[in-house]
Amino acid sequence: MFGDLFEENSSSVSNNQYGKGKILKTTTLEPPAPREFTNLSGIRNQGGTCYLNSLLQTLHFTPEFREALFSLGPEELGSLEDKDKPDAKVRIIPLQLQRLFAQLLLLDQEAASTADLTDSFGWTSNEEMRQHDVQELNRILFSALETSLVGTSGHDLINRLYHGTIVNKVVCKECRSTSEQQEDFLDLTAAVKNVSGLEDALWNMYVEEEVFDCDNLYYCETCGKLVKAAKSAKLRKLPPFLTVSLLRFNFDFVKHERYKETGCYTFPLRMNLKPFCEQSEMDDLDCMYDLYSVIIHKGGCYGGHYHVYIKDIDHLGNWQFQDEKSESDVNLKDLKNEEETDDPLVILKAILLQEENNLIPVDQLGQKLLKKIGVSWSKKYRKHHGPLRKFLQLHSQTFLLSWDESTVSLLQSAPQHTAPEGQRGGQRGLQTVTARSPGLNDSASCPHWFDINDSKVQPIKEKDIEQQFQGKESAYMLFYRKCQLQRPLEAQANPRYRVPCHLLNEMDAANIELQMKRAQCDSENINVELRLHLGPHYRFSNGALHPKGSQTESVWDLTFDRRKTLGDLRQSVFQLLEFWEGDMVLSVAKLVPAGLHIYQTLDGEDLMLRDLELADGEDIFVWNGVEVGGAQIQTGAECEPLLVNIFHMKTGSEGETCEQLADSPHVFPSNAEVATVLAALAIPAGVIFINSAEPTGAERWTAVPKEDTRKTFRELGLRNGSSILVQDSSGEDSLLPKQGKWTSGTNEINWLQVTNLCPLESEQKQVKISATVNTVVFDIRTKAIKELKLMEELVEKSCLRPVDRHGKLLCPVPDTYTLKEAELKLGSSLGLCLGKAPTPSQLFLFFALGSDVQPGTEMEIVVEETVSVSDCLKLMLDKAGLSGETWHLRRMDWCYEAGEPLCEEGATLKELMVSSGDTLLVMEGKLPPLGFLKVPVWWYQAQEPSRHWKSHQDPTSCALSPAGDWGAACMQGAPGDLPAEASLLYLGDIEISEDATLADLKCQAMTLPPLSERAVPSPAFLRAWTVEGRRPGRLLRSNRQQLRDCKLGRRAGVCLEPLPAEEHLGPQDVLLRTRLRIPGVRAYAPAEDLVWDAARGWTASSLRQKVASFYSLPVEKIEIAKYFPEKFEWLPISSWNQQVTKRKKKKKQDSLQGAPYYLKDGDIVGVKNLLADADADFSTAMDDIGKENQKQLALGKKKSREALRVQSSEASSAPMPSPPRGPEAGLSIHVRSFR
């Protein structure tokens, strides 16, 4: 019926260069994988959004939250189709959440995407790649939802489900009067340090009383004096859903850094909050909560990974376990003892019982059979039982095939992956994921828990939660629900329950489209790309295979049908290699640093290539299976050749030994004995040393005992690039001390170095104080003062501050700490400074003026953690000797630049999570109001003024930059002998609403004094770019686009470029700067703007045709190249690397957006007219100068590093200031105002 469908283009050959990497097929068009056996969908990680994925899955598995969100219709939220309309009121965040929850419920894909949701947050790609705290996200997301739902019936959704109240009471011990204050909460924070578990933490917070007495009396307004009193807190109102945030991260004031509490911290599966409530007469059922979600953090304070354990309340997923070892163990033992088994049913059943969940893809089942019995299905059983799939279909009482016949499982434990009834009857349309039977282990007494780790979903048992009580991977957020909350029966195992009709229709249509895409993808991915290495064109030398002569003759490309057998492949290769005589063996090979190595011979003539699991670009060595060029070849991973560096003493011309080391590469098989190194160097006897890395980066050489020289390279852990030192045993002295750069161990350190940093002279600048890990810091300080012979008065008014490896002074260490408690290592440096360490309620902060922070210029201040942002700013201004109201505070980001501003001036530093050791920047200028942006505007003169309309003023004298002069930022390496391609000239700042459009921004910028004097006809004559690194960055296209959608951020600037005519760029238009090369001169003509429509693809041939048309030249008579100004290099753009031979199947052409071109708006493209200039060089004289300058700069940096290394090795005692560790960037979600 299909004729020659499978024969067309089944094999084709082309020459290929030896040594190129494997061919990678594009996967951008591949549809997402279907759901796995759990029938639950994960969420794809965008780079650093695991914290977001974990919280979203928790909200999704909170049915009351999900259904409350679904109850809000388009009449209240608007429609996503109208989000770009200027007057439409579209509440994008709740709409995107609805759509995401519908996809998680109904869309048949392994993992959903949050790209649309994070776009609605206003996040940039940088935000999506950055790790944040899930507890912070929980509060910010709830706040954003509350703002988005103002004016709708869901305005109280968050309060209705999560809001509770706490009452704080202070009772006077004399008059018994009570002072009361009520607090609202959406989540409770529970201490972890010095607490055994959650219930103990709640007892400390809501049962224990704090007594005011002695020096800490309470002022009673009734008594009118200071009195003794007791303070307590109770839970007054309990929410339906209780969120508990565990305070696992603390700050060490000694080491001046944060750390994670990893000790054991228990929490109950069911919890009674009645002891902690104000109303003691409440019914116990009103206070009972069940745990249903645990967000887990794995890692430390400055990074890690989140995943979540979730209880499937509605039984939407397929929860199954193989609780006990099945009969598979016995069956497989029987199979191992018997070489042949005549009953295929027994073999297949045993293989499936060995698999997790008794499920396996059908394509892998044949491969497993081959591995177990050594014979393929086709060779042993096909004649009597037919094809494997047909056999599985005929034994439907034992095996269950999925609806698309891609997977098979045992019937008695098979997950319900069957299609709906209508589909089994031959209808191929894919229906929305429907309710499936919960599984064999379904029981009311057996809750269904799953571990959801981004895209992966795995069933777990309830007892597995105990593993998250402690360790680096431990519980971080807990979610409880009231036991009284009951789910309706119709919601059980019904993912369509209460999903709005318009989302049901959307998901049904999306599932049908997914099935069509998967069918199309399967039909397109039937071919595999192989690289044939021809044995007769290879030689064996230095332990590996190498091509004899021409590399193009030794390696051929072959495209072959995956559905054909290994025998068909061998026959095709025979036909292609007409010169071949004798046996032909096909083996899988791999390129290693030493050369080409053969790993595995392909066996099984009747086995299909897809069952052999050959990857695209697989290297296949074609030979006789015995020798290559007369040399016997060892194959397999155990004898893989290793390329190692061997150090040994040089030998003089007369055989004498020199005092200098020689370094030479050698190749040895992995299974060779290490002693063969001596034979390779013709040394009769000697000592072998192996290099092992130290944590400090120093080299450490370890001698190999004589008995261990009989071990192999692999057994000693050697790999490619390892170093070996060989010393002749006849030598009198050891090599290591002579060279002076290797160490074999370290002496035990039992001291601390204390440097006098007080403004008092002493006989010694620094002293070493003997100490142990249990020595108290106060004793070290008093001993240091005594040995430095300083005044004894310093004991009361001094402190010790650690000095980091860069010489920076850290926070003072409390005197009561031991070195172990302060986590100070022996051998550390401490500075003796004036002043006392801050108390636990105080913050030790660094601050600096402006964004250009130089090391050592930061000032220090100690403030109370309860001080407000505005008061903290005043204290910093007073200390810096400044005044005025036009200042604000910003955090310092990770690259030591101005980060997120502290916008809430009334908030306390503690509420904003400012920690000791943080650096704050005092910046000039008032912050814009909420919902507004302060945008610096620059002038971008990209081309010569003669090509544009005339200006009334010289742009170089137009306005001043924030620094007080023109902020010209010339583009590096402008090609040719012309001046710099572009400069940015500062015009001023404008305040503008985030709801304004790009056209509004241009109009407002035209009112700035420097620009108002220029004759700009209209905003359409201005092209807008973002400013990134003082250079034009991203092109802002549509004048109607809102600034919020432009993702400018709070610190982004905009530069405006004048145009000779109005410009209206389409979404697929690419703006390039083309420059025509001047024949006979290494220079280019002035740049011209080229608008290229890339709607048909970012291909080299399309761009070449556009450039040729633009310059009225034949396309075959031009060459083009992209310029990389930071490297002063030109990369030719040729379509030859995208062409294929006539016999090869046409492949998708590579995109210029990807490697190695990364083409984007504003890039410079050089154009060469081959009719007048046949020179292959694109570079200019300016490029040569630029490269030479870069070379000299790199050489200077290398010399500086070497000098610094020498200086540090001399143990210089002068502390060297360094930039501090940058704080984590703040997290925010941008929401429109709907009030």
Side-chain angles (χ1 to χ4, degrees):
M1 180 174 80
F2 294 103
D4 295 332
L5 176 64
F6 300 135
E7 301 297 329
E8 186 178 347
N9 293 328
S10 61
S11 62
S12 57
V13 180
S14 68
N15 291 330
N16 184 24
Q17 294 295 326
Y18 173 80
K20 290 186 179 179
K22 291 186 177 181
I23 301 169
L24 299 177
K25 286 193 173 182
T26 177
T27 59
T28 54
L29 296 180
E30 289 186 5
R35 300 189 181 208
E36 295 186 347
F37 69 96
T38 60
N39 192 34
L40 295 178
S41 175
I43 300 178
R44 283 191 290 277
N45 194 326
Q46 296 190 53
T49 57
C50 56
Y51 66 101
L52 173 66
N53 296 349
S54 299
L55 182 60
L56 290 175
Q57 289 283 17
T58 299
L59 296 177
H60 167 240
F61 279 94
T62 307
E64 291 79 2
F65 177 89
R66 183 181 70 226
E67 291 163 8
L69 198 62
F70 280 152
S71 68
L72 303 174
E75 64 280 357
E76 291 189 276
L77 302 181
S79 173
L80 289 174
E81 287 76 14
D82 301 331
K83 65 178 181 179
D84 296 325
K85 295 181 181 178
D87 300 329
K89 246 188 180 182
V90 181
R91 305 171 193 266
I92 302 178
I93 293 178
L95 284 171
Q96 292 291 3
L97 267 179
Q98 282 186 345
R99 195 161 179 267
L100 176 64
F101 288 166
Q103 291 174 350
L104 292 173
L105 286 170
L106 303 170
L107 198 57
D108 186 21
Q109 58 180 359
E110 181 185 31
S113 170
T114 55
D116 292 337
L117 180 63
T118 53
D119 283 347
S120 72
F121 291 170
W123 290 0
T124 62
S125 56
N126 291 334
E127 194 71 47
E128 292 155 359
M129 294 294 293
R130 187 179 292 139
Q131 178 75 256
H132 284 289
D133 184 78
V134 70
Q135 296 176 3
E136 178 189 14
L137 173 70
N138 184 58
R139 300 184 182 104
I140 291 174
L141 180 58
F142 278 7
S143 175
L145 271 176
E146 284 184 314
T147 306
S148 297
L149 297 177
V150 166
T152 70
S153 60
H155 65 92
D156 62 342
L157 186 151
I158 301 299
N159 276 346
R160 192 168 69 245
L161 298 180
Y162 297 95
H163 175 261
T165 57
I166 301 171
V167 59
N168 294 293
K169 295 181 179 181
V170 180
V171 180
C172 174
K173 290 294 182 78
E174 294 191 9
C175 68
R176 310 306 297 176
S177 62
T178 301
S179 173
E180 182 178 297
Q181 184 179 6
Q182 182 172 296
E183 294 180 18
D184 299 320
F185 71 86
L186 295 178
D187 66 302
L188 295 178
T189 55
V192 175
K193 186 176 181 181
N194 301 326
V195 181
S196 62
L198 176 60
E199 291 172 304
D200 284 348
L202 293 176
W203 187 272
N204 293 339
M205 290 190 290
Y206 303 117
V207 177
E208 297 286 349
E209 290 185 341
E210 179 184 357
V211 179
F212 298 108
D213 58 5
C214 300
D215 295 333
N216 186 27
L217 295 175
Y218 168 73
Y219 181 80
C220 176
E221 294 183 355
T222 305
C223 300
K225 62 179 181 178
L226 295 172
V227 297
K228 293 182 179 180
K231 180 183 178 182
S232 62
K234 291 287 184 181
L235 297 171
R236 173 168 285 180
K237 177 198 169 188
L238 295 177
F241 296 90
L242 180 66
T243 303
V244 182
S245 299
L246 304 184
L247 300 179
R248 284 204 177 268
F249 297 115
N250 280 309
F251 188 80
D252 189 320
F253 287 91
V254 177
K255 295 185 69 177
H256 197 69
E257 65 182 19
R258 290 184 296 169
Y259 68 95
K260 183 178 179 181
E261 296 282 355
T262 58
C264 183
Y265 187 88
T266 62
F267 46 88
L269 296 174
R270 172 164 287 188
M271 179 170 55
N272 187 353
L273 295 183
K274 186 175 180 179
F276 316 120
C277 292
E278 183 184 28
Q279 300 90 354
S280 58
E281 68 279 0
M282 290 177 65
D283 187 354
D284 282 356
L285 289 178
D286 294 332
C287 305
M288 296 296 293
Y289 282 82
D290 281 335
L291 182 71
Y292 76 98
S293 177
V294 182
I295 293 183
I296 298 155
H297 179 264
K298 178 181 180 181
C301 300
Y302 300 103
H305 179 68
Y306 289 96
H307 62 109
V308 61
Y309 285 0
I310 284 183
K311 183 178 180 181
D312 182 13
I313 297 167
D314 283 346
H315 291 191
L316 300 175
N318 184 40
W319 188 78
Q320 291 184 338
F321 283 98
Q322 198 171 349
D323 293 324
E324 299 177 355
K325 285 191 177 180
S326 66
E327 57 200 287
S328 61
D329 297 333
V330 180
N331 290 342
L332 287 175
K333 286 180 181 178
D334 294 340
L335 288 176
K336 290 177 182 177
N337 295 332
E338 299 179 12
E339 292 186 0
E340 293 189 11
T341 303
D342 292 330
D343 189 357
L345 192 64
V346 175
I347 302 175
L348 296 178
K349 186 177 178 181
I351 293 173
L352 283 168
L353 285 170
Q354 187 72 5
E355 294 298 314
E356 183 179 359
N357 300 294
N358 303 345
L359 176 75
I360 189 174
V362 177
D363 292 343
Q364 294 181 18
L365 184 59
Q367 184 70 14
K368 295 273 185 180
L369 177 72
L370 175 63
K371 290 180 180 179
K372 294 299 180 187
I373 65 175
V375 184
S376 68
W377 175 274
S378 297
K379 183 171 288 187
K380 185 170 180 64
Y381 299 114
R382 186 184 180 104
K383 184 176 180 181
H384 298 95
H385 299 282
L388 177 58
R389 277 187 173 83
K390 184 177 179 181
F391 179 84
L392 297 173
Q393 291 170 350
L394 292 174
H395 292 78
S396 57
Q397 73 279 7
T398 304
F399 305 108
L400 179 65
L401 284 165
S402 61
W403 66 270
D404 58 354
E405 299 184 356
S406 62
T407 59
V408 62
S409 57
L410 288 178
L411 186 61
Q412 59 267 29
S413 61
Q416 302 300 315
H417 276 252
T418 55
E421 199 66 78
Q423 189 173 314
R424 287 185 227 142
Q427 183 182 352
R428 304 305 297 172
L430 182 65
Q431 302 298 320
T432 303
V433 179
T434 57
R436 306 217 168 109
S437 60
L440 293 175
N441 298 326
D442 202 297
S443 172
S445 62
C446 193
H448 295 189
W449 283 86
F450 291 91
D451 177 10
I452 305 182
N453 191 343
D454 289 335
S455 300
K456 297 299 179 184
V457 183
Q458 293 292 334
I460 60 171
K461 297 180 181 179
E462 199 170 52
K463 63 181 181 182
D464 294 334
I465 299 174
E466 297 177 6
Q467 300 173 6
Q468 306 305 330
F469 285 169
Q470 61 187 348
K472 288 190 175 180
E473 183 177 4
S474 50
Y476 190 55
M477 282 189 81
L478 308 174
F479 297 84
Y480 287 86
R481 57 183 286 128
K482 276 193 173 182
C483 298
Q484 291 179 328
L485 296 174
Q486 297 296 325
R487 297 292 295 152
L489 290 176
E490 56 268 27
Q492 293 295 302
N494 182 11
R496 302 174 74 92
Y497 181 69
R498 290 198 174 178
V499 179
C501 291
H502 69 280
L503 288 175
L504 288 175
N505 295 333
E506 182 182 344
M507 294 304 111
D508 288 342
N511 276 321
I512 294 173
E513 184 180 356
L514 271 177
Q515 188 211 12
M516 294 173 61
K517 286 183 177 179
R518 286 174 185 144
Q520 180 182 1
C521 184
D522 290 343
S523 64
E524 291 176 352
N525 292 337
I526 60 174
N527 288 338
V528 60
E529 303 282 347
L530 302 176
R531 299 172 61 217
L532 303 180
H533 298 260
L534 309 182
H537 294 276
Y538 274 79
R539 58 184 172 84
F540 184 80
S541 63
N542 291 329
L545 294 164
H546 301 272
K548 284 182 180 177
S550 171
Q551 296 175 345
T552 57
E553 294 179 357
S554 56
V555 184
W556 287 11
D557 277 352
L558 174 68
T559 303
F560 205 76
D561 192 329
R562 293 178 185 269
R563 296 166 298 182
K564 293 201 170 187
T565 64
L566 179 62
D568 297 332
L569 174 62
R570 196 187 314 276
Q571 186 63 32
S572 295
V573 176
F574 259 123
Q575 295 173 0
L576 293 170
L577 306 179
E578 299 177 354
F579 60 85
W580 194 274
E581 295 181 359
D583 294 335
M584 174 184 288
V585 175
L586 304 179
S587 301
V588 176
K590 179 182 176 183
L591 286 168
V592 295
L596 189 71
H597 179 66
I598 301 173
Y599 284 85
Q600 176 189 1
T601 297
L602 297 176
D603 293 319
E605 292 294 296
D606 297 331
L607 207 59
M608 288 189 290
L609 295 192
R610 66 182 179 187
D611 294 333
L612 291 172
E613 299 180 357
L614 294 178
D616 267 341
E618 194 83 68
D619 294 291
I620 303 296
F621 195 72
V622 185
W623 62 314
N624 59 14
V626 179
E627 51 83 26
V628 174
Q632 298 285 329
I633 305 298
Q634 287 185 306
T635 64
E638 64 279 357
C639 59
E640 177 183 315
L642 297 179
L643 182 64
V644 297
N645 298 316
I646 299 182
F647 295 89
H648 56 93
M649 296 296 283
K650 278 187 176 180
T651 305
S653 56
E654 299 180 1
E656 74 280 3
T657 302
C658 303
E659 294 294 322
Q660 190 175 1
L661 279 178
D663 176 12
S664 58
H666 286 261
V667 178
F668 300 94
S670 300
N671 58 355
E673 295 179 354
V674 175
T676 55
V677 172
L678 300 176
L681 296 177
I683 297 176
V687 181
I688 300 174
F689 297 85
I690 295 176
N691 189 315
S692 58
E694 289 286 329
T696 59
E699 290 178 331
R700 179 184 176 92
W701 292 86
T702 306
V704 179
K706 188 172 183 180
E707 60 272 15
D708 285 353
T709 58
R710 312 307 299 177
K711 292 184 177 180
T712 65
F713 286 83
R714 189 178 297 278
E715 289 173 338
L716 291 181
L718 294 170
R719 55 181 62 87
N720 284 301
S722 295
S723 297
I724 295 176
L725 175 68
V726 179
Q727 178 179 347
D728 192 341
S729 59
S730 62
E732 297 179 0
D733 301 321
S734 171
L735 269 176
L736 301 181
K738 284 183 180 181
Q739 297 304 316
K741 64 185 235 180
W742 295 298
T743 60
S744 59
T746 57
N747 296 323
E748 186 176 353
I749 299 174
N750 58 356
W751 50 264
L752 287 170
Q753 180 173 285
V754 180
T755 304
N756 178 23
L757 300 180
C758 297
L760 299 171
E761 293 186 2
S762 59
E763 294 183 5
Q764 302 179 63
K765 184 65 177 174
Q766 58 189 21
V767 292
K768 288 185 177 180
I769 306 297
S770 299
T772 66
V773 292
N774 295 319
T775 305
V776 179
V777 173
F778 177 78
D779 295 339
I780 296 173
R781 186 161 62 86
T782 54
K783 287 181 183 178
I785 292 173
K786 185 176 180 180
E787 293 193 18
L788 289 170
K789 298 182 179 180
L790 295 170
M791 298 184 300
E792 293 184 1
E793 290 80 359
L794 277 179
V795 175
E796 299 297 328
K797 53 182 180 181
S798 64
C799 62
L800 290 178
R801 296 178 62 178
V803 182
D804 68 8
R805 59 192 179 94
H806 300 292
K808 181 179 176 63
L809 285 173
L810 305 180
C811 280
V813 186
D815 282 339
T816 57
Y817 279 26
T818 64
L819 296 186
K820 184 177 181 180
E821 292 171 338
E823 298 185 19
L824 285 174
K825 295 182 179 179
L826 292 171
S828 301
S829 294
L830 299 172
L832 180 66
C833 307
L834 289 178
K836 291 188 176 181
T839 65
S841 64
Q842 293 179 323
L843 298 177
F844 185 93
L845 302 175
F846 298 95
F847 73 96
L849 302 177
S851 58
D852 189 14
V853 182
Q854 298 298 324
T857 61
E858 304 99 328
M859 290 174 274
E860 301 168 355
I861 192 171
V862 178
V863 297
E864 294 292 332
E865 63 182 3
T866 55
V867 73
S868 66
V869 172
S870 57
D871 292 339
C872 179
L873 176 60
K874 290 177 183 177
L875 293 173
M876 291 179 175
L877 290 174
D878 291 341
K879 186 158 187 177
L882 299 172
S883 61
E885 299 294 329
T886 57
W887 300 91
H888 67 276
L889 286 178
R890 288 181 182 267
R891 300 178 191 265
M892 179 184 281
D893 65 14
W894 63 274
C895 54
Y896 316 117
E897 295 180 351
E900 290 295 324
L902 302 182
C903 299
E904 302 177 42
E905 295 184 350
T908 65
L909 299 182
K910 183 178 181 180
E911 291 172 344
L912 297 178
M913 291 184 285
V914 177
S915 305
S916 281
D918 286 355
T919 300
L920 301 180
L921 300 179
V922 180
M923 306 290 293
E924 192 168 6
K926 291 288 289 183
L927 289 173
L930 197 62
F932 280 73
L933 297 173
K934 187 174 183 180
V935 183
V937 181
W938 303 73
W939 184 257
Y940 173 29
Q941 192 72 48
Q943 303 179 4
E944 291 70 33
S946 60
R947 298 185 59 85
H948 293 288
W949 35 265
K950 300 296 181 180
S951 62
H952 297 294
Q953 187 175 347
D954 182 10
T956 59
S957 61
C958 183
L960 292 177
S961 72
D965 57 355
W966 272 111
C970 298
M971 290 179 65
Q972 306 180 40
D977 299 326
L978 296 171
E981 180 79 14
S983 61
L984 296 184
L985 310 175
Y986 178 70
L987 299 176
D989 292 343
I990 61 174
E991 275 192 16
I992 189 168
S993 170
E994 292 180 332
D995 294 327
T997 62
L998 185 60
D1000 297 333
L1001 183 144
K1002 293 179 181 178
C1003 290
Q1004 194 166 335
M1006 290 170 61
T1007 63
L1008 292 172
L1011 192 55
S1012 62
E1013 299 176 4
R1014 294 175 174 265
V1016 182
S1018 73
F1021 284 79
L1022 293 174
R1023 181 186 292 153
W1025 305 76
T1026 61
V1027 177
E1028 299 173 5
R1030 296 186 178 273
R1031 295 179 58 186
R1034 179 166 47 89
L1035 178 63
L1036 304 177
R1037 299 175 181 277
S1038 173
N1039 281 330
R1040 299 180 60 184
Q1041 188 176 22
Q1042 288 185 325
L1043 299 183
R1044 176 183 288 103
D1045 299 331
C1046 293
K1047 298 184 180 180
L1048 294 180
R1050 291 187 175 272
R1051 292 174 289 144
V1054 171
C1055 59
L1056 301 176
E1057 175 188 357
L1059 297 174
E1062 292 189 11
E1063 180 179 75
H1064 302 283
L1065 295 177
Q1068 297 295 330
D1069 288 340
V1070 184
L1071 176 69
L1072 301 173
R1073 315 282 194 190
T1074 58
R1075 306 191 67 171
L1076 187 63
R1077 189 173 175 88
I1078 303 174
V1081 183
R1082 295 184 66 200
Y1084 289 85
E1088 298 183 81
D1089 287 349
L1090 170 70
V1091 177
W1092 169 41
D1093 183 4
R1096 296 185 178 180
W1098 289 63
T1099 61
S1101 58
S1102 173
L1103 178 59
R1104 286 169 57 85
Q1105 290 174 2
K1106 178 62 180 178
V1107 172
S1109 174
F1110 184 77
Y1111 285 102
S1112 301
L1113 293 170
V1115 68
E1116 67 275 6
K1117 295 300 180 182
I1118 66 165
E1119 288 292 339
I1120 59 177
K1122 180 193 169 180
Y1123 186 60
F1124 291 86
E1126 65 279 358
K1127 299 179 181 179
F1128 300 96
E1129 292 180 353
W1130 297 84
L1131 181 61
I1133 300 176
S1134 172
S1135 57
W1136 288 105
N1137 62 339
Q1138 297 178 333
Q1139 294 180 358
V1140 293
T1141 58
K1142 287 185 287 185
R1143 296 181 64 190
K1144 196 174 181 75
K1145 182 179 177 181
K1146 186 176 180 181
K1147 296 168 60 179
K1148 186 179 184 298
Q1149 294 186 330
D1150 297 329
S1151 171
L1152 296 180
Q1153 286 180 297
Y1157 301 106
Y1158 302 105
L1159 200 66
K1160 63 183 184 304
D1161 291 306
D1163 281 349
I1164 301 172
V1165 175
V1167 184
K1168 189 183 298 183
N1169 181 3
L1170 298 181
L1171 296 173
D1173 187 359
D1175 188 5
D1177 184 25
F1178 273 91
S1179 65
T1180 67
M1182 297 295 291
D1183 294 329
D1184 296 342
I1185 296 173
K1187 287 183 179 179
E1188 183 62 28
N1189 291 341
Q1190 283 187 336
K1191 184 178 179 182
Q1192 294 300 326
L1193 182 63
L1195 188 61
K1197 288 182 178 179
K1198 182 179 180 182
K1199 290 181 178 178
S1200 300
R1201 286 194 298 268
E1202 291 175 352
L1204 187 61
R1205 193 179 299 114
V1206 171
Q1207 183 179 359
S1208 61
S1209 66
E1210 295 173 354
S1212 174
S1213 61
M1216 298 174 59
S1218 66
R1221 179 193 291 273
E1224 294 178 359
L1227 178 66
S1228 61
I1229 295 177
H1230 305 288
V1231 190
R1232 297 184 183 182
S1233 177
F1234 297 101
R1235 298 187 184 276

